[in-house]
Amino acid sequence: AGSAGTSAAYYLDLFRQPCRRLNITVYERNHYVGGRSTTVNVYDDPTHPVELGASIFVPINHNLVSAANRYELPIKSRGRASKSEDTEILGIWDGREFVFTQSDADNQYWNIAKLLWKYGISPIRTQNLMKKTVGSFLKMYDAPSFPFKSIAEAAVELGLLDSTTATGQQFLEANGVSGKFGHDIVQAATRVNYGQNLDQIHGLETMVCMAADGGMSIEGGNWQIFDNMIKDSGATLLLNTTVSTITKDSGKYAIRATTASLDPSSDISSTESNYDIIVLASPLQFSNITFAPPLSSPPPFIPYVSLHVTLFTSPYRLSAAAFNLDSDVKMPTTILTTTPLDVAQSETLPFNSISRLGRVEVPEDYFYSRNAEDYARCGTRDSQYLYKIFSPEPLTQMYIESLLDFDHTTPDKDDDMQLQDKPISWIHEKRWDAYPYLPPKSRFAEIWLSMADKEGDDAGADGIWYTSGIESFISTMETSSLMGMNVARLVVDEWMKDDTGDGDA
């Protein structure tokens, strides 16, 4: 029940005419809707939700923007963090020094002038290349490119193979962008968005990283878009339900699934239901589904980036000394990373990005524990800074504290140490299989997955539809939604040919 699955359900219902009846069931093994778009409550306080996964979308994301407007969801623009008294400063760190900084207190034209002074016309060429490339991709939303039966064929028709078959670095150089701009600025964008360097990620996804103007999110969590979509579709939603087996017999598909109760004392229930079509809306390699008979040509295994997200609160700002700056220098509030020019690109930094998201008030009844047995009550409503770190590996608390402007020479003051004195007052960690590794490629997973009937006849791929091939092309909430919409259109077009009138999905 992430972006692809809820979009498939919504658009199946939208496109379903002339079907007189359509029964849609959505299976979700998690206890929530949203997939990799979910929130966590800071201090376990539901008034302070913060994005744990997919965080922003942009104005050119047609499906998400139209859904947010359709459901009248409150949109907040990316920009100055709420409840922050400081100027927002972006810094790009190479492990030794900040190679670029930009402040929102400066005039917009001054910031542009700084870019051009340091990097020449490379920023302009990159912007033009991004608009051209993304403009070609946007044609996938409309006829004659929509609906598309093959991602690879669509890429050829739209002239996008030049960007998918080259690394970001190669694609920029082939289009007149060379020098430090790609290394400093563009690579910082590919690292924060996809955890990959410019010589590892393909050119199309690189251009997507540069199309982030006007970033926005939904107040309370982007998951609300997908929750509304699934409600609007009229689908039956089965949460905490894991599909174990899909069996094909005489053109029908039987799903066997188990549902776990939130009550640990309750038994796990098993069900088996029959459908005309199946939409597999998550990467097959993570599904652990057995197909009987097996898939004729299963999607290839795609390595995914293991991303660690660390959210924490602290009364302290980031330390200038930790980033080799003098104490009187104003620290960036958002730090992106690149690699030093004189070391191998394969070398990694401890983190991809650090963002100070603003300040949050500490609830009066919040209890903080550094250790399982060590509780210290906070009787204040002081606000604290909220931080978010993306990293390739889990971060130790000692390392996180080393980044803060905190007197590390002073030992902790025993169990009665007040919350506002502790360097970290609340912390939440999550590991995601966040997105695929995105090396250059010309072939992508098929949208149809075929199974042979039990009798042995390969009946084609008219019943199994697959959305996750889009992730190796462009991996975003929006493109997953586009693929859900695309599959829905293809399914309904097939039904219209057959004019069966009824369907179960």
Side-chain angles (χ1 to χ4, degrees):
S3 179
T6 58
S7 296
Y10 171 78
Y11 286 105
L12 275 169
D13 182 67
L14 184 67
F15 298 151
R16 66 187 170 90
Q17 299 300 332
C19 287
R20 296 186 301 273
R21 180 177 62 86
L22 180 59
N23 297 323
I24 304 172
T25 303
V26 176
Y27 293 83
E28 172 55 62
R29 64 183 170 189
N30 291 311
H31 67 278
Y32 62 87
V33 170
R36 282 167 281 178
S37 176
T38 187
T39 57
V40 64
N41 296 327
V42 182
Y43 302 125
D44 301 320
D45 183 348
T47 65
H48 295 316
V50 60
E51 293 287 356
L52 187 60
S55 300
I56 67 164
F57 52 100
V58 295
I60 59 173
N61 292 162
H62 300 323
N63 285 5
L64 299 187
V65 172
S66 64
N69 292 330
R70 181 168 62 249
Y71 302 123
E72 299 181 340
L73 299 174
I75 295 175
K76 62 179 180 180
S77 298
R78 183 175 62 175
R80 177 169 292 194
S82 60
K83 300 182 182 178
S84 175
E85 73 280 11
D86 294 330
T87 298
E88 296 297 306
I89 302 174
L90 168 69
I92 298 176
W93 169 254
D94 72 354
R96 301 173 185 173
E97 63 179 350
F98 285 101
V99 298
F100 181 79
T101 59
Q102 178 176 289
S103 170
D104 72 351
D106 293 335
N107 181 279
Q108 176 185 3
Y109 297 104
W110 172 245
N111 283 327
I112 294 172
K114 282 171 60 180
L115 274 172
L116 297 177
W117 176 261
K118 183 166 185 176
Y119 299 111
I121 63 171
S122 289
I124 296 174
R125 286 180 173 171
T126 302
Q127 183 76 356
N128 291 338
L129 181 61
M130 178 274 292
K131 289 180 178 179
K132 177 184 175 183
T133 306
V134 172
S136 295
F137 158 71
L138 291 175
K139 295 176 183 177
M140 293 179 74
Y141 285 80
D142 300 305
S145 297
F146 179 87
F148 47 91
K149 296 182 178 181
S150 164
I151 299 169
E153 290 177 7
V156 171
E157 292 170 2
L158 296 173
L160 290 171
L161 273 192
D162 285 347
S163 61
T164 67
T165 56
T167 66
Q169 182 174 323
Q170 292 167 340
F171 188 60
L172 288 172
E173 290 176 351
N175 287 276
V177 180
S178 58
K180 293 184 66 178
F181 182 75
H183 172 270
D184 292 357
I185 306 299
V186 182
Q187 182 163 269
T190 64
R191 287 172 60 83
V192 67
N193 285 296
Y194 295 105
Q196 295 162 70
N197 289 333
L198 201 55
D199 63 345
Q200 300 167 325
I201 191 170
H202 62 63
L204 177 59
E205 199 74 279
T206 300
M207 292 297 99
V208 170
C209 292
M210 300 307 293
D213 285 350
M216 66 187 84
S217 60
I218 302 300
E219 292 273 5
N222 295 327
W223 62 269
Q224 295 170 92
I225 293 176
F226 312 119
D227 187 57
N228 276 280
M229 277 186 166
I230 206 162
K231 289 175 180 175
D232 213 359
S233 73
T236 299
L237 174 62
L238 302 178
L239 297 176
N240 298 305
T241 302
T242 300
V243 175
S244 58
T245 305
I246 298 176
T247 304
K248 182 181 181 182
D249 188 10
S250 301
K252 294 286 187 177
Y253 298 85
I255 283 184
R256 179 171 293 175
T258 56
T259 300
S261 172
L262 292 177
D263 181 357
S265 64
S266 300
D267 294 333
I268 295 175
S269 61
S270 297
T271 59
E272 184 167 315
S273 303
N274 296 318
Y275 300 95
D276 298 303
I277 68 159
I278 303 293
V279 178
L280 186 56
S282 65
L284 178 62
Q285 64 202 56
F286 300 132
S287 70
N288 296 319
I289 295 174
T290 299
F291 292 85
L295 294 173
S296 302
S297 299
F301 177 86
I302 303 292
Y304 271 62
V305 173
S306 177
L307 181 73
H308 294 263
V309 181
T310 305
L311 295 163
F312 69 95
T313 56
S314 174
Y316 299 100
R317 301 178 184 181
L318 294 174
S319 166
F323 294 90
N324 302 328
L325 295 175
D326 294 333
S327 58
D328 58 345
V329 175
K330 197 145 191 165
M331 271 295 296
T333 53
T334 298
I335 299 174
L336 308 185
T337 60
T338 186
T339 54
L341 279 170
D342 58 349
V343 302
Q345 290 272 50
S346 59
E347 292 192 17
T348 60
L349 297 173
F351 62 88
N352 298 338
S353 66
I354 303 175
S355 302
R356 200 177 75 198
L357 303 181
R359 295 183 73 103
V360 293
E361 289 185 337
V362 182
E364 291 181 355
D365 60 351
Y366 176 70
F367 287 79
Y368 167 74
S369 172
R370 181 179 297 241
N371 301 304
E373 302 83 14
D374 175 19
Y375 290 89
R377 189 176 192 281
C378 174
T380 177
R381 288 191 65 81
D382 285 350
S383 63
Q384 303 229 334
Y385 294 111
L386 173 63
Y387 293 93
K388 186 177 192 178
I389 302 180
F390 293 159
S391 61
E393 300 292 339
L395 301 175
T396 65
Q397 183 161 307
M398 182 178 295
Y399 177 77
I400 297 171
E401 291 181 2
S402 75
L403 301 174
L404 300 171
D405 192 14
F406 169 69
D407 185 0
H408 304 282
T409 63
T410 303
D412 287 355
K413 305 174 184 176
D414 304 318
D415 291 351
D416 62 349
M417 185 180 188
Q418 290 296 305
L419 175 64
Q420 60 266 32
D421 297 324
K422 290 181 179 286
I424 297 175
S425 54
W426 172 87
I427 190 167
H428 184 92
E429 299 163 297
K430 170 70 177 179
R431 190 197 74 82
W432 292 104
D433 290 308
Y435 24 69
Y437 284 98
L438 294 154
K441 59 171 50 186
S442 59
R443 300 180 65 185
F444 304 90
E446 296 297 330
I447 298 174
W448 290 280
L449 304 180
S450 59
M451 297 171 66
D453 279 315
K454 283 186 175 180
E455 291 80 2
D457 296 328
D458 190 344
D462 55 333
I464 297 285
W465 304 80
Y466 186 57
T467 65
S468 292
I470 196 76
E471 292 201 46
S472 293
F473 185 65
I474 299 176
S475 181
T476 64
M477 290 187 289
E478 174 66 19
T479 46
S480 290
S481 179
L482 168 62
M483 184 57 99
M485 179 176 73
N486 183 68
V487 164
R489 182 73 267 174
L490 291 171
V491 167
V492 173
D493 285 353
E494 289 296 318
W495 283 342
M496 291 176 71
K497 289 178 185 177
D498 296 339
D499 195 25
T500 56
D502 298 313
D504 294 281

